[in-house]
Amino acid sequence: MASSADAPLESGLSSLRLAADKYRSILNDEKTGNIRWRYGGPPIFDIVNKLFEEERTHRQLSLTLSTSKANMATREEKDKYRSVLNDVGEVQWRYGHPPAFALVNQLFEEGQTKVWPEGSLEETVQNAIKSWEMEFSHKIRLQDFKTINPDKFKLFVNGREGLSAEETLRLGSYNALLKTSLPGEFQYYKPEEESFESSHDAFRSALPRGFAFEILSVYSGPPNIAFKFRHWGYFEGDFKGHAPTGEMVQFLGLGVLKVCLKHNLCPSFTIFQWLHLAVLSLQVDELLRAEEIEIYYDPGELFGGLLKGPPILETKTTDTGDNTAEKHSCPFTH
């Protein structure tokens, strides 16, 4: 048992331990009181933090990125998950103006199963993927993209041949992700028969509140970021002749995001420098761009929920003028 003389010392140490550590966010977690620490309490890094700040060799770059992150305050007024929406250049938007994500952001915040610390690698990757999806859905010129390297970009889905940036933009993200090698009679959805517009219309109709995305785990840091993700929404509108059920539809998947700093800085960076840059610059989107994205998932998880809705009854006028004849409308029998 500690003596009364030790109490002031212990109190002082507790105060020091409670001071926030700006480089190790998990030390600031409110749940640290329940952790069994090796030496009886959370560690203190004041001395090594001071050494780092005095001796680091990339101070100027870090300050530049920190300034960029500070400037994101104004971006949050538009969208706090997709920093590229604060683009001040002359972007040509597909629908004439920047998109609004209030509904899907609300869906995400209400349904997310993981809440990552601000600035963590998981949050950074999550926001980068959201921004990537936004650009392919709402921008029409690759020169306006901030999240990819257009000259090197490839999208690989379930081990198939990679799609270039031009091909992905032409097809649209839904068609690109839903391409399949299944024989036509077994396909739930036929992307080769869908245009960019028809594919987006189909899923926006089925999921009127949007299709939320979250990162469940990140297994490795840059330049090859391996992650597990979840996509979900609520089937509240018609989908290809199937009535809505109001139920959640979702699928889980794995991905690898290959990124590289501009100006060929990648080879000279250690993993610790990469992690530091990733936390700051993936949100900036100017310095760190995707060169390849690999996605692995089971489309059956998604379509199992969408095809669960009963076929919509359509009234068909017969040659005799009788409007009472009804048929089941199913796009996959045509």
Side-chain angles (χ1 to χ4, degrees):
M1 174 180 283
S3 68
S4 59
D6 294 330
L9 177 59
E10 291 182 354
S11 176
L13 287 174
S14 297
S15 298
L16 285 171
R17 287 170 177 158
L18 289 173
D21 189 301
K22 57 186 175 183
Y23 304 115
R24 303 166 184 85
S25 60
I26 56 175
L27 280 174
N28 309 323
D29 195 314
E30 294 179 355
K31 297 179 181 178
T32 53
N34 299 323
I35 295 175
R36 294 178 62 181
W37 296 98
R38 184 175 297 276
Y39 302 107
I44 301 172
F45 292 95
D46 292 354
I47 295 177
V48 74
N49 286 350
K50 182 179 180 182
L51 175 64
F52 163 72
E53 291 165 359
E54 291 175 350
E55 300 297 332
R56 57 185 169 181
T57 59
H58 292 277
R59 181 181 294 110
Q60 185 59 47
L61 180 57
S62 299
L63 288 173
T64 300
L65 292 172
S66 296
T67 301
S68 298
K69 184 168 182 170
N71 289 338
M72 287 179 61
T74 56
R75 295 178 180 179
E76 292 183 357
E77 297 175 5
K78 294 184 177 180
D79 192 289
K80 57 187 175 182
Y81 305 115
R82 302 165 184 84
S83 61
V84 292
L85 279 174
N86 194 41
D87 201 325
V88 294
E90 301 212 353
V91 175
Q92 289 191 17
W93 295 100
R94 184 172 297 275
Y95 303 106
H97 53 79
F101 289 96
L103 281 176
V104 74
N105 286 349
Q106 181 179 354
L107 176 66
F108 164 73
E109 290 165 3
E110 292 174 350
Q112 65 188 132
T113 61
K114 301 284 187 179
V115 180
W116 301 112
E118 183 179 357
S120 65
L121 184 58
E122 290 86 355
E123 187 209 40
T124 296
V125 174
Q126 184 170 266
N127 290 348
I129 298 294
K130 290 176 189 285
S131 295
W132 171 79
E133 289 188 329
M134 181 280 296
E135 290 199 305
F136 271 107
S137 295
H138 294 277
K139 292 183 177 181
I140 60 177
R141 301 187 307 180
L142 287 176
Q143 67 195 65
D144 294 332
F145 279 47
K146 301 295 183 183
T147 60
I148 67 168
N149 181 335
D151 297 328
K152 296 183 178 181
F153 180 81
K154 288 285 186 180
L155 172 64
F156 301 88
V157 180
N158 289 336
R160 292 192 299 274
E161 183 178 354
L163 297 172
S164 68
E166 292 85 354
E167 292 172 312
T168 305
L169 182 60
R170 176 180 56 82
L171 291 171
S173 54
Y174 284 112
N175 285 336
L177 291 170
L178 292 170
K179 286 178 70 67
T180 177
S181 57
L182 285 173
E185 62 269 26
F186 298 119
Q187 292 183 17
Y188 315 115
Y189 172 91
K190 299 182 178 181
E192 71 278 2
E193 297 180 4
E194 301 286 346
S195 66
F196 180 105
E197 290 76 15
S198 68
S199 65
H200 279 256
D201 287 346
F203 284 94
R204 285 175 182 152
S205 170
L207 309 169
R209 286 192 278 163
F211 205 22
F213 174 90
E214 72 169 336
I215 289 290
L216 299 177
S217 300
V218 172
Y219 303 113
S220 61
N224 295 309
I225 306 171
F227 58 92
K228 183 178 182 180
F229 68 90
R230 170 179 172 247
H231 241 317
W232 79 97
Y234 284 87
F235 186 17
E236 297 168 326
D238 299 351
F239 179 77
K240 295 290 186 180
H242 286 262
T245 63
E247 298 177 359
M248 178 192 292
V249 294
Q250 68 174 348
F251 67 88
L252 307 183
L254 298 173
V256 179
L257 177 65
K258 179 181 178 181
V259 296
C260 190
L261 281 172
K262 293 170 68 176
H263 312 304
N264 298 318
L265 292 176
C266 308
S268 64
F269 277 70
T270 68
I271 186 61
F272 298 105
Q273 290 167 328
W274 263 112
L275 287 170
H276 177 62
L277 285 170
V279 167
L280 296 175
S281 62
L282 260 176
Q283 297 181 47
V284 177
D285 297 321
E286 287 290 343
L287 297 177
L288 202 57
R289 295 188 174 191
E291 292 189 347
E292 292 182 4
I293 298 180
E294 298 179 44
I295 298 294
Y296 300 91
Y297 76 107
D298 179 5
E301 286 188 73
L302 170 63
F303 289 111
L306 293 175
L307 301 182
K308 186 177 179 181
I312 298 173
L313 298 178
E314 288 186 355
T315 300
K316 179 180 178 181
T317 303
T318 65
D319 294 337
T320 61
D322 182 2
N323 294 334
T324 61
E326 293 182 336
K327 69 172 185 176
H328 292 290
S329 174
C330 178
F332 306 108
T333 60
H334 295 170

